[in-house]
Amino acid sequence: MPPLRLRPPVPALVLLLALGLPPGPALAAPAAAPLVALGAGHYATAPRAGTEDARTLPPDPRYRAGAELGLAAPAGQWYSSVLYQRWSRPLYALPLSARAAPEGVEIGWPHGELVVGQPGGRRAMHWLHAPELTVAPLGFRPEDARLEQHGDWHARVRLGTRAGPALHVTLLHGSPFAYFDCDAGDVALRIRAAAAPLEALPRGVRTPPVAAFTTAGHAYALFAPTGARLEWTSPSELVVHLPPRARYFSVAALPEAGAATLAEFQRLAYAFPTDTRASWEYDEARGLVRTSFRVTTVAREGDNRDTLLGLYPHHWAALAQPLAERHRYATVRGPIRLVAGQAFATELRYRGFVPYWPGLRDAGNRAQLAAQLAAETRAPPVEGSGGGPYWLGKELNALAQLARIADVEGDAARRDAWFGELRGRMEAAFDGRHAVYFVEDRRNGAWLGYPQEYQSIQDLNDHHFHYGYWLNAAGELALQDPGWLAPGRYGGMVGRLIADVATAERGRADFPYLRYFDPYEGHSWASGIVDLDAGNDQESSSEAVNAWAGLVLLGEASGNRALRDLGVYLYASEIASVEAYWFDRHHEVLAPEYAVPFATIVWGGKYDHATWWTEEPRQVALINTIPFTPASTYLGADPALVRAIVARLPAEEAAYRARTETDGTEPDVWQDLLASYLALADPAAARRRWDPAGAVEFGETRSHTLFWLASLAELGTPDLSVGADTTLYAVFRAPGGARTYLAYNAGSTPRRVRFSTGVELEVGPHALARSP
């Protein structure tokens, strides 16, 4: 069964916290548990005995070997199912898929297939694993499969006996090769459909030996070592007799069956990867994030160390230097283009944001907002909301936004009350004695927020979604009070949240490197154990972006440049991949027959037009927009796409209502989010669409929606074409062309900010500056 990650329905009309109300049930004190002090906070080393939490335990990453033993488990990656199951789920390396199975290593070459539900409902393009080849050892029978080594985009898996021989396979993103070592005996290559051998190379060229063939319309080749003997025992089985001192071979999917292609692949087939690494640097003055991708290889035959690197569309669109495309593969990520070598680099322009927007200038807007702020109340978490770190995190976000709005509007009393409530709720959760608390998981190397929501503990799902709200709230508090992050206060507790999702050091025992973030695909995944035939997935990409924005804020607030730069790298990278694979900005990914301009969920082996919990069209369209914060301006990069997504909703909603019995969803569900999204392209139309008395998404407030809509009406829509020599900046452009420039200075001395248009702003310490 797939992980249970359905979001429970919540009422859209939610009263906001009245000034002075006592904390809600999320902060009610439960029974005490043994705690470990960390600054002013506390955490537990085990869930509370005698409660449901005690039966909610993290998974056991038992299937590890070699270099992986003693390290934090790399949950949340494309290959992570290897860690938690005896035999893996499909591994979408792309263009190949693979699975570690009892029979051996399955190799597939996925193709696209449209799957359609009821009219107006779920649509998906499936590129699912279907084995065409199986590599099986003949000298022993594997007992299980284990992860024995990994890099930034490769994994080496061991299929064998615990103390005896094994078959080892190395898979990596973008490669048409699967690389094998076998400790003992011969190996059989079993072919699902009968193979037709290719005689594409002159006999004298076949040293070392090569077997090339076609099956199911695809061309493959096996490249054996010198001294090996290849024996076709039937049209569907090739036996590889390996010599004692050369126990390796590779299998490749060939883009075409010609002799030149086979010769090219043979020349590169023996450069076996041993490491993969994505190294990045942020140039603040130029506003650029440069990422270098390098494969380390060892030459198993001859002296060639070059290999074939498969560049995804987001790589190709951002290449630092042009490269020659050798071949390409059609995949679920669009065309993967092959280049020969060991490295390439990309450059992404960082499109900044500010922590908050300035106060409104229009007198009518200010009066309406003041009245709305006065009317705001907030109730405790609604029944069914989960009451855990995710829903409390959304409350924290709402409080932070309200406090900031009150601040810029000159309402000091409400500002102080809301910041006080925000601080109180976070500190209560950090003290370890309330309903929401944190547990250290040394077996996985994880920081667990109890109570569980969406299998966040049992499957290690979604931590970056959940903790992203906390990181942003902590950043807001730290901008108000930098001392709040001191080690003797709450810096240690916030630091553990960061470490759980964004540890920047490889090879640690306490936390894995960048849990959930896939450095090669450039975006995050959401499932921890990946117990899914379609591979890992991510639905709410905007909540991932929100987490990385939180790192930027925390780094700026604390003066921690390394943390800020990490946040910038993740923020810029995630946005580039979201634009490529969720919103298809390059028009290379979404199939024409899919007939939807965006993907709601991106998987290893498919993309979906449906959420985990509903097919209701507004939620399907907008789950990749929440939460709306000043860091969300990237969603307005393509105003025409925003308008197109909004314009298709009425017909989809009518079709949904026509075929669906009532499920309790309000007719105007997420109407506030819809208006906020449309405002990034057309603020006037968004203001007309928004119903101030209508549904409110839990985590939003009417005051924030009003402030968002009014601000964009006054400032204009985001102008992402303008850069700056600072990290916290934003530019907006009115319909007439006039630009408004914003910059925030988190430092203690004034600084002059220069924008790429030549405009300069003098920004005081701990202040937001706005152009006239």
Side-chain angles (χ1 to χ4, degrees), residues 432-468:
R433 298 177 176 88
H434 290 78
V436 173
Y437 64 103
F438 294 92
V439 173
E440 180 184 50
D441 171 20
R442 292 189 177 184
R443 184 165 58 179
N444 283 282
W447 193 247
L448 308 177
Y450 279 84
Q452 170 176 258
E453 293 174 297
Y454 314 120
Q455 302 296 101
S456 58
I457 294 171
Q458 289 173 313
D459 290 349
L460 297 178
N461 291 341
D462 299 349
H463 289 196
H464 60 319
F465 294 167
H466 298 192
Y467 298 164

Side-chain angles (χ1 to χ4, degrees), residues 351 541-543 545-546 571 575 578-579 583 585 624-626 630-638 680 718 720:
R351 297 176 291 195
S541 59
S542 49
E543 289 183 308
V545 173
N546 182 56
Y571 180 83
I575 288 173
V578 167
E579 290 182 340
F583 294 108
R585 287 286 308 281
N624 282 287
T625 67
I626 62 171
S632 303
T633 50
Y634 72 96
L635 292 167
D638 187 346
L680 294 168
L720 302 176

Side-chain angles (χ1 to χ4, degrees), residues 333-425:
R333 296 291 175 273
I336 288 182
R337 299 169 171 92
L338 294 188
V339 300
Q342 299 173 48
F344 67 92
T346 62
E347 286 187 348
L348 295 173
R349 193 172 63 78
Y350 166 68
R351 297 176 291 195
F353 64 94
V354 289
Y356 55 89
W357 292 346
L360 302 175
R361 291 184 171 179
D362 179 84
N365 286 336
R366 296 198 68 182
Q368 185 179 357
L369 181 59
Q372 186 62 59
L373 285 170
E376 290 288 4
T377 57
R378 186 167 187 78
V382 296
E383 183 179 357
S385 71
Y390 178 74
W391 289 100
L392 179 54
K394 287 173 73 71
E395 284 192 57
L396 300 176
N397 173 69
L399 287 166
Q401 298 290 345
L402 284 172
R404 274 301 184 192
I405 294 168
D407 182 30
V408 299
E409 293 301 317
D411 189 339
R414 288 188 169 82
R415 175 201 64 197
D416 293 345
W418 276 319
F419 268 130
E421 183 65 27
L422 172 62
R423 181 181 293 106
R425 284 181 173 248

Side-chain angles (χ1 to χ4, degrees), residues 105-415:
V105 178
E106 298 175 355
I107 302 294
W109 188 342
H111 68 277
E113 177 185 5
L114 178 66
V115 177
V116 180
Q118 299 181 59
R122 179 183 294 271
R123 299 176 70 85
M125 281 298 298
H126 285 193
W127 294 73
L128 299 179
H129 172 68
E132 295 185 349
L133 314 175
T134 300
V135 177
L138 297 178
F140 56 92
R141 185 176 182 84
E143 296 176 359
D144 56 37
R146 295 173 179 256
L147 182 69
E148 61 179 352
Q149 194 255 343
H150 76 279
D152 285 0
W153 70 90
H154 84 279
R156 181 175 166 93
V157 180
R158 177 189 190 276
L159 289 79
T161 59
R162 295 188 180 181
L167 176 70
H168 312 262
V169 59
T170 299
L171 303 164
L172 61 162
H173 276 325
S175 178
F177 288 98
Y179 301 90
F180 292 88
D181 290 88
C182 188
D183 295 338
D186 296 332
V187 174
L189 179 67
R190 298 188 174 115
I191 303 163
R192 186 62 58 96
L198 294 171
E199 294 293 337
L201 289 178
R203 188 169 298 277
V205 177
R206 298 186 193 176
T207 302
V210 176
F213 57 92
T214 61
T215 181
H218 292 147
Y220 291 93
L222 183 146
F223 302 95
T226 299
R229 182 169 60 88
L230 303 182
E231 177 187 4
W232 285 100
T233 59
S234 76
S236 59
E237 182 175 87
L238 173 69
V239 174
V240 185
H241 302 280
L242 293 168
R245 296 186 179 181
R247 309 290 309 168
Y248 51 84
F249 60 96
S250 62
V251 176
L254 304 177
E256 58 264 345
T261 298
L262 184 57
E264 177 184 10
F265 272 62
Q266 184 187 36
R267 182 178 66 84
L268 303 170
Y270 300 97
F272 276 47
T274 58
D275 193 22
T276 52
R277 181 160 296 203
S279 304
W280 53 271
E281 57 182 354
Y282 168 48
D283 184 338
E284 182 181 21
R286 298 172 62 211
L288 288 178
V289 175
R290 181 183 177 91
T291 306
S292 298
F293 299 86
R294 176 168 293 277
V295 178
T296 302
T297 64
V298 59
R300 305 297 286 269
E301 297 271 340
D303 58 5
N304 171 67
R305 291 178 179 266
D306 284 348
T307 186
L308 288 170
L309 302 168
L311 276 61
Y312 289 35
H314 76 283
H315 298 136
W316 199 257
L319 281 174
Q321 295 180 334
L323 295 175
E325 176 184 337
R326 307 295 289 268
H327 306 280
R328 69 169 59 186
Y329 296 81
T331 77
V332 68
R333 296 291 175 273
I336 288 182
R337 299 169 171 92
L338 294 188
V339 300
Q342 299 173 48
F344 67 92
T346 62
E347 286 187 348
L348 295 173
R349 193 172 63 78
Y350 166 68
R351 297 176 291 195
F353 64 94
V354 289
Y356 55 89
W357 292 346
L360 302 175
R361 291 184 171 179
D362 179 84
N365 286 336
R366 296 198 68 182
Q368 185 179 357
L369 181 59
Q372 186 62 59
L373 285 170
E376 290 288 4
T377 57
R378 186 167 187 78
V382 296
E383 183 179 357
S385 71
Y390 178 74
W391 289 100
L392 179 54
K394 287 173 73 71
E395 284 192 57
L396 300 176
N397 173 69
L399 287 166
Q401 298 290 345
L402 284 172
R404 274 301 184 192
I405 294 168
D407 182 30
V408 299
E409 293 301 317
D411 189 339
R414 288 188 169 82
R415 175 201 64 197

Side-chain angles (χ1 to χ4, degrees), residues 94 311-317 331-336 520-523 525 541 573-586 588-590 594 597-603 606-608:
L94 302 185
L311 276 61
Y312 289 35
H314 76 283
H315 298 136
W316 199 257
T331 77
V332 68
R333 296 291 175 273
I336 288 182
Y520 202 76
E521 293 225 358
H523 63 81
W525 299 111
S541 59
S573 299
E574 189 97 32
I575 288 173
S577 286
V578 167
E579 290 182 340
Y581 308 120
W582 278 257
F583 294 108
D584 198 16
R585 287 286 308 281
H586 309 301
E588 288 193 305
V589 177
L590 303 181
Y594 178 65
F598 63 93
T600 303
I601 309 177
V602 169
W603 305 71
K606 66 174 180 174
Y607 47 86
D608 257 338

